[in-house]
């Protein structure tokens, strides 16, 4: 999910700006001296003496400067100089609480809000601030109590409903999240967080028309909003309008050029236009922005693999494993390419790792095949013997693994071929035909190996990893 730009405290900061303007006008106003009347009166101009800013105006001006620089800690420290005239101003107290919240000083923010509530028990910004602080602290009980209190008074309170929506979204309860954002919009129809959240949840619940309308509403308010632009690109992509999707994400990148997700989307849209080199460049940019995240490496590995650029594919598959060791699909893909490159020792490690995630007999056979190719038959037999203990002796899988493990027997071969031909599941039969081909390859029966690999290669849209190895073997 793309992170939203938070604007919960804009009303408080705006109040500070209004206060600044009011104080400035009051303290810095000047009066004009009337000129003498009559034809003989000389034309003179009297210059009024410069009026110095009062302490309260100086304070607000300096605070405004700190806020414009986003110097949160400096702004908090500046409140030590709060003039006596402003010490009871609730908007400034709310602003201080908001600053504490922004600086993760949640207890100080709560204490400040409670000072406000002691004077104004129904002060909504202060109540909202306490709610958000308790949520940030993980105090679920206190958060629930204050949120319910707010909703009793204001059921469509934007801040609290947005918080509820975010919680639902985190739990993937997108319909409930959307309802909560809708309530927030009833309370504040122009709230940008609520507009974006409602649009996003509409996208996740596949109400693409509503998502489009609300992302567009956000763009009408802020044409440079990169999140809205990016999701308009996703909506165009879902309609297979790849050119339009590309234009949207390019515009998003103009305003947020370091966004990893945008570069990933950009590469995807380019790939579907057949611009493979440009897609590679986009995903490579993503790896430069965040070298620790696996996804761009996975995309690069896939596209290089499709182009038969196995060296670059392997390089990126290994980066996937390095950055996300739990992504077990990468182990299988990497093992296949290491096997193709005759790097059998490395392939063994990777197939063994894949076996940890999915204890399939086929991985055991591939490991055994690698040991046979390394002229280590005893190691191969250890793997095969261990696998036989895990299989039902009445199954075709058992017979196939045993065929690899035992000394050659024509009767065993004939019985196994009959069993394989009776397999009704096309993918299972295809896998088994591949391993018959592999057996013959290991035993130097090249013509038989090619015959079986050809049977596998002729299957339509097979769904097993061995298919690629069969293709390579058939084309030799």
């Amino acid at each position: 999910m793309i992170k939203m730009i938070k604007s919960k405290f804009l009303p408080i900061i705006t109040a500070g700006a209004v206060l600044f303007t009011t104080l400035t006008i009051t303290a810095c106003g000047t009066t004009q001296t009337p000129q003498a009347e009559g034809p003989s009166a000389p034309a003179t101009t009297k210059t009024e003496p410069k009026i110095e800013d009062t302490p309260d105006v100086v304070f607000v001006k300096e605070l405004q400067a700190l806020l414009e620089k986003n110097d949160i800690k400096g702004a908090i420290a500046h409140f030590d100089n709060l003039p006596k005239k402003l010490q009871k101003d609730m908007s400034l107290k709310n602003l201080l609480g908001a600053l504490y919240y922004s600086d993760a000083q949640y207890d100080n923010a709560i204490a400040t809000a409670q000072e406000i509530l002691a004077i104004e028990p129904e002060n909504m910004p202060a109540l909202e601030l306490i709610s958000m602080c308790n949520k940030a602290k993980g105090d679920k009980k206190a958060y629930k109590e204050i949120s319910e209190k707010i909703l009793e008074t204001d059921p469509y309170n934007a801040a609290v409903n947005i918080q509820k929506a975010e919680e639902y979204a985190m739990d993937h309860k997108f319909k409930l999240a959307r309802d909560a954002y809708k309530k927030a919009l009833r309370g504040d129809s122009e709230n940008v967080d609520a507009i974006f959240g409602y649009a996003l949840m509409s996208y996740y619940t596949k109400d693409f028309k509503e998502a489009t309308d609300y992302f567009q509403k956000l763009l009408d308010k802020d044409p440079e909003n990169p999140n809205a632009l990016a999701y308009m690109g996703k909506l165009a992509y879902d309609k297979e309008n790849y050119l339009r999707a590309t234009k949207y994400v390019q515009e998003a990148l103009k305003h947020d050029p370091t966004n990893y997700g945008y570069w990933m989307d950009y590469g995807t849209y380019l790939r579907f236009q057949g611009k493979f080199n440009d897609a590679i460049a986009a995903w490579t940019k993503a790896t430069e922005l965040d070298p620790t995240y696996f996804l761009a490496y996975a995309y690069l590995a896939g596209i290089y693999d499709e182009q038969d650029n196995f060296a670059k594919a392997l390089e990126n598959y290994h980066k996937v494993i390095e950055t996300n060791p739990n992504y077990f699909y990468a182990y299988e893909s990497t093992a296949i390419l290491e096997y193709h490159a005759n790097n059998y020792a490395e392939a063994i490690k990777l197939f063994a790792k894949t076996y940890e995630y999915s204890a399939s007999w086929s991985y055991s056979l591939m490991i055994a095949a690698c040991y046979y190719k390394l002229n280590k038959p005893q190691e191969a037999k250890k793997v095969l013997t261990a696998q036989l203990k895990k299989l039902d002796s009445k199954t075709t899988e058992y017979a196939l693994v045993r065929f690899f493990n035992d000394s050659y027997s024509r009767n065993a071969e004939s019985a196994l071929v009959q069993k394989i031909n009776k397999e009704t599941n096309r993918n299972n039969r295809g896998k088994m035909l591949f391993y018959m081909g592999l057996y013959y390859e290991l035993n130097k029966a090249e013509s038989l190996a090619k015959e079986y690999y050809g049977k596998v290669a002729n299957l339509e849209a097979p769904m097993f990893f061995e298919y690629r190895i069969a293709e390579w073997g058939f084309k030799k």
Side-chain angles (χ1 to χ4, degrees):
M1 186 185 300
I2 293 182
K3 186 178 179 182
M4 286 185 245
I5 301 170
K6 298 299 178 186
S7 56
K8 292 185 175 75
F9 292 117
L10 279 178
I12 300 172
I13 296 172
T14 302
V18 171
L19 174 66
F20 163 70
T21 304
T22 304
L23 288 171
T24 302
I25 293 171
T26 303
C28 300
T30 58
T31 57
Q32 189 176 23
T33 303
Q35 294 184 1
E37 296 182 1
S40 60
T44 60
T45 302
K46 183 176 180 181
T47 303
E48 291 293 320
K50 183 180 179 182
I51 299 176
E52 296 292 331
D53 288 342
T54 57
D56 48 358
V57 174
V58 171
F59 174 85
V60 176
K61 280 184 174 181
E62 292 175 352
L63 177 61
Q64 189 78 8
L66 290 165
L67 293 174
E68 288 173 358
K69 293 191 295 183
N70 200 32
D71 184 356
I72 304 298
K73 291 187 182 297
I76 292 171
H78 186 59
F79 272 86
D80 291 340
N81 306 317
L82 186 67
K84 185 175 181 180
K85 183 177 179 180
L86 300 178
Q87 288 179 357
K88 293 183 179 180
D89 188 282
M90 296 299 105
S91 62
L92 277 175
K93 280 189 176 293
N94 267 318
L95 177 56
L96 176 60
L99 291 167
Y100 278 133
Y101 175 86
S102 297
D103 199 42
Q105 297 186 43
Y106 303 125
D107 290 335
N108 285 338
I110 290 172
T112 303
Q114 287 171 339
E115 289 177 13
I116 296 168
L117 294 173
I119 301 169
E120 298 179 3
E122 302 301 319
N123 188 292
M124 194 56 68
L127 290 168
E128 292 172 359
L129 178 60
I130 292 174
S131 171
M132 285 184 285
C133 287
N134 284 323
K135 181 184 178 184
K137 290 173 64 178
D139 189 339
K140 294 181 180 179
K141 182 180 178 183
Y143 164 65
K144 185 177 179 182
E145 287 176 357
I146 193 69
S147 296
E148 288 177 352
K149 180 179 179 180
I150 293 170
L151 292 176
E152 284 174 8
T153 307
D154 182 9
Y156 300 110
N157 180 277
V160 174
N161 278 296
I162 287 171
Q163 289 176 73
K164 289 180 67 176
E166 290 171 349
E167 290 176 354
Y168 287 134
M170 288 293 289
D171 290 336
H172 290 189
K173 298 176 181 177
F174 300 131
K175 289 184 179 179
L176 291 174
R178 176 173 146 154
D179 291 343
Y181 280 123
K182 194 169 186 177
K183 283 187 176 181
L185 286 169
R186 286 190 63 176
D188 181 1
S189 62
E190 299 304 311
N191 186 294
V192 294
D193 285 345
I195 294 171
F196 180 79
Y198 181 75
L200 188 60
M201 294 306 108
S202 296
Y203 177 80
Y204 285 152
T205 54
K206 300 190 183 303
D207 187 346
F208 297 137
K209 182 182 184 305
E210 195 81 344
T212 301
D213 290 346
Y214 274 80
F215 282 129
Q216 187 58 56
K217 182 176 181 179
L218 196 55
L219 289 174
D220 291 342
K221 295 170 68 68
D222 178 11
E224 297 182 354
N225 186 295
N227 281 339
L229 288 164
Y231 269 97
M232 289 294 275
K234 288 178 182 290
L235 287 161
Y237 168 74
D238 288 336
K239 292 181 178 179
E240 300 183 3
N241 192 336
Y242 306 125
L243 183 59
R244 189 176 184 192
T246 301
K247 289 179 179 178
Y248 272 120
V249 79
Q250 284 175 327
E251 194 65 24
L253 283 167
K254 285 181 185 178
H255 308 298
D256 188 1
T258 61
N259 188 294
Y260 186 99
Y262 299 169
W263 283 103
M264 292 301 299
D265 287 346
Y266 187 31
T268 299
Y269 307 156
L270 290 167
R271 181 186 182 280
F272 275 92
Q273 293 175 69
K275 299 178 179 179
F276 302 117
N277 289 337
D278 291 338
I280 287 170
W283 292 330
T284 301
K285 176 66 175 179
T287 67
E288 293 167 358
L289 291 170
D290 187 356
T292 67
Y293 192 54
F294 80 100
L295 192 59
Y297 297 118
Y299 279 41
L300 285 168
I303 196 168
Y304 281 128
D305 205 346
E306 289 171 9
Q307 296 177 341
D308 290 343
N309 188 341
F310 299 135
K312 293 295 289 183
L314 266 175
E315 177 186 326
N316 281 280
Y317 277 130
H318 279 294
K319 290 297 291 185
V320 174
I321 292 169
E322 177 187 327
T323 53
N324 187 359
N326 294 322
Y327 191 68
F328 86 91
Y329 298 103
Y331 291 104
E332 180 182 279
S333 298
T334 314
I336 293 168
L337 292 187
E338 292 288 12
Y339 180 88
H340 179 256
N342 301 329
N343 298 328
Y344 301 121
E346 188 64 26
I348 288 170
K349 295 177 187 175
L350 293 161
F351 278 125
K353 194 69 179 177
T354 309
Y355 188 87
E356 290 178 14
Y357 291 96
S358 178
S360 169
W361 58 270
S362 57
Y363 296 134
S364 290
L365 279 181
M366 287 305 303
I367 292 169
C370 289
Y371 277 125
Y372 280 127
K373 284 180 174 288
L374 290 170
N375 198 25
K376 294 182 177 181
Q378 294 307 314
E379 294 298 324
K381 289 182 180 294
K382 286 180 185 178
V383 173
L384 295 168
T385 301
Q387 184 61 57
L388 284 170
K389 293 177 181 178
K390 299 177 182 179
L391 294 171
D392 183 344
S393 61
K394 296 178 183 178
T395 63
T396 309
E397 289 86 351
Y398 180 91
L400 183 59
V401 174
R402 185 172 179 177
F403 188 60
F404 270 73
N405 186 57
D406 295 350
S407 298
Y408 173 76
S409 163
R410 182 176 293 277
N411 289 336
E413 178 185 25
S414 177
L416 177 57
V417 171
Q418 287 180 20
K419 281 189 172 186
I420 291 173
N421 289 332
K422 290 179 182 178
E423 281 289 323
T424 56
N425 183 290
R426 192 172 66 93
N427 280 318
N428 283 348
R429 187 171 67 255
K431 284 171 73 76
M432 292 173 180
L433 289 172
F434 162 77
Y435 285 107
M436 289 302 296
L438 181 59
Y439 177 87
Y440 292 126
E441 180 189 334
L442 293 171
N443 287 279
K444 311 301 182 185
E446 300 296 340
S447 61
L448 281 172
K450 184 161 286 194
E451 177 185 336
Y452 274 92
Y453 287 151
K455 291 179 181 180
V456 178
N458 288 331
L459 293 175
E460 294 180 4
M463 298 295 291
F464 50 91
F465 74 85
E466 297 91 342
Y467 175 77
R468 296 190 69 197
I469 305 173
E471 278 194 314
W472 294 326
F474 181 64
K475 292 176 182 177
K476 278 184 180 179

